[in-house]
C-alpha cells in the first residue's frame, strides 16, 4: 500500500486545473482527506452563505494504487466505479464535472453578472507585461503585469498563462488578484519568508 501516486496527483492537480480553465481558477477549490480508508479529494465552490457546494469527489484506492469516481445508477440501484488511469483522465473528469455544475441556470446567471461587472473595471497599468517563466521549447509561458484600479485605488496583479496546443496555437487565460495597499506589505513579507519552500516550475517539466 502506498500514497505516492495520490500525493503526486494532489500536488499537480490544482495548478493544472487553474491553467486550463479561467473560471475554475477564479472560483474552484479543492480539499484533501488522507485520513479515510480510501483517501479522497473533494472539489467545491464557496457560496454566499459561507458554505460549500461540492461538484466532484475523487477517491483513491491505496491497495490497487488507482483513482476512481463513484456514480449511482437509479434504475439498477447500484453504485459503480470509474477507474481513472492517469492525470489527464483525472483532470478531464474534474473539469467536466465543474462545467456540468456551472450549467445550472441560476448559478451561471449570477456568475456572468459578476463577471460582466468585473470586466468593466478601469485599470491604469503601471507595468508592461513581464515574462516570469517560459519553458525551454516555449510551449508554456507565464507573465505578469501590475496596475491600479481607478475607482477603488486597489492594486491588481494580472497573471497571463499561455499554453501551446498540438496545432501550434496558443491557449490564453488570465487570473487577476486584487489587494489593498494595507495588504501589500504582508503579502510581500509572507512570500519572501517562504521562498525556500516553493517548488520551481522547472522541476515539473
Amino acid at each position: 500500500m502506498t500514497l505516492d501516486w495520490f500525493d503526486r496527483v494532489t500536488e499537480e492537480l490544482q495548478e493544472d486545473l487553474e491553467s486550463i480553465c479561467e473560471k475554475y481558477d477564479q472560483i474552484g477549490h479543492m480539499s484533501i482527506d488522507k485520513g479515510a480508508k480510501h483517501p479522497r479529494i473533494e472539489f467545491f465552490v464557496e457560496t454566499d452563505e459561507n458554505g460549500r457546494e461540492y461538484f466532484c469527489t475523487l477517491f483513491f484506492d491505496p491497495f490497487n494504487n488507482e483513482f476512481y469516481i463513484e456514480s449511482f445508477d437509479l434504475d439498477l440501484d447500484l453504485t459503480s466505479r470509474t477507474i481513472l488511469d492517469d492525470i489527464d483522465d483525472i483532470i478531464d473528469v474534474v473539469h467536466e464535472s465543474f462545467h456540468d455544475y456551472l450549467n445550472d441556470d441560476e448559478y451561471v446567471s449570477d456568475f456572468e453578472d459578476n463577471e460582466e461587472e468585473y470586466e468593466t473595471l478601469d485599470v491604469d497599468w503601471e507595468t508592461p507585461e513581464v515574462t516570469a517563466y517560459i519553458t525551454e521549447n516555449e510551449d508554456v509561458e507565464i507573465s505578469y503585469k501590475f496596475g491600479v484600479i481607478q475607482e477603488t485605488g486597489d492594486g491588481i496583479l494580472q497573471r497571463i498563462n499561455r499554453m501551446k496546443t498540438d496545432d501550434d496555437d496558443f491557449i490564453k487565460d488570465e487570473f487577476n488578484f486584487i489587494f489593498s495597499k494595507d495588504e501589500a506589505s504582508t503579502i510581500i513579507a509572507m512570500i519572501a519568508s517562504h521562498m525556500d519552500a516553493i517548488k520551481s516550475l522547472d522541476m515539473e517539466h
Side-chain angles (χ1 to χ4, degrees):
M1 183 178 74
T2 177
L3 292 180
D4 289 347
W5 178 229
F6 180 85
D7 291 336
R8 285 169 55 196
V9 169
T10 54
E11 287 177 3
E12 296 183 21
L13 197 51
Q14 180 77 1
E15 182 172 334
D16 288 348
L17 286 164
E18 291 174 354
S19 296
I20 66 170
C21 183
E22 182 179 358
K23 287 187 178 180
Y24 181 91
D25 191 13
Q26 293 174 0
I27 62 173
H29 303 278
M30 75 180 198
S31 62
I32 300 168
D33 181 4
K34 295 181 67 172
K37 183 178 179 180
H38 278 196
R40 62 179 179 266
I41 308 173
E42 296 179 299
F43 299 85
F44 62 92
V45 297
E46 295 179 341
T47 65
D48 293 337
E49 296 79 19
N50 295 320
R52 294 179 175 182
E53 291 187 359
Y54 293 87
F55 58 85
C56 184
T57 300
L58 294 175
F59 297 92
F60 181 73
D61 182 347
F63 297 97
N64 295 311
N65 199 37
E66 58 190 14
F67 279 91
Y68 66 91
I69 57 171
E70 291 186 338
S71 57
F72 187 75
D73 191 315
L74 293 174
D75 295 329
L76 300 177
D77 195 26
L78 292 174
T79 299
S80 62
R81 292 182 178 179
T82 301
I83 305 301
L84 307 172
D85 293 324
D86 55 40
I87 185 69
D88 290 333
D89 292 337
I90 294 169
I91 291 172
D92 288 345
V93 163
V94 178
H95 193 202
E96 182 178 347
S97 298
F98 175 66
H99 282 279
D100 287 344
Y101 170 77
L102 290 185
N103 282 337
D104 178 89
D105 290 338
E106 181 178 354
Y107 187 87
V108 170
S109 176
D110 291 342
F111 182 87
E112 289 178 346
D113 288 344
N114 291 336
E115 189 174 43
E116 182 178 350
E117 179 181 352
Y118 181 78
E119 289 177 348
T120 61
L121 292 176
D122 291 323
V123 178
D124 291 327
W125 294 107
E126 303 291 335
T127 70
E129 188 176 316
V130 178
T131 300
Y133 175 81
I134 189 168
T135 56
E136 185 175 350
N137 57 4
E138 299 184 354
D139 60 344
V140 177
E141 177 183 317
I142 300 172
S143 59
Y144 286 85
K145 61 180 179 178
F146 170 76
V148 176
I149 299 173
Q150 293 180 4
E151 183 177 354
T152 64
D154 288 334
I156 179 170
L157 189 65
Q158 184 176 88
R159 171 176 172 168
I160 304 100
N161 300 323
R162 294 181 178 87
M163 300 182 66
K164 185 181 291 186
T165 68
D166 294 337
D167 298 325
D168 288 334
D169 294 324
F170 275 96
I171 299 174
K172 176 183 175 182
D173 64 75
E174 299 174 353
F175 170 73
N176 296 301
F177 177 63
I178 298 174
F179 54 94
S180 67
K181 185 174 183 179
D182 306 288
E183 299 172 87
S185 58
T186 300
I187 295 169
I188 294 169
M190 289 176 68
I191 294 173
S193 61
H194 293 86
M195 284 292 291
D196 293 340
I198 303 174
K199 182 170 62 175
S200 171
L201 283 171
D202 287 327
M203 297 176 64
E204 302 177 5
H205 296 278

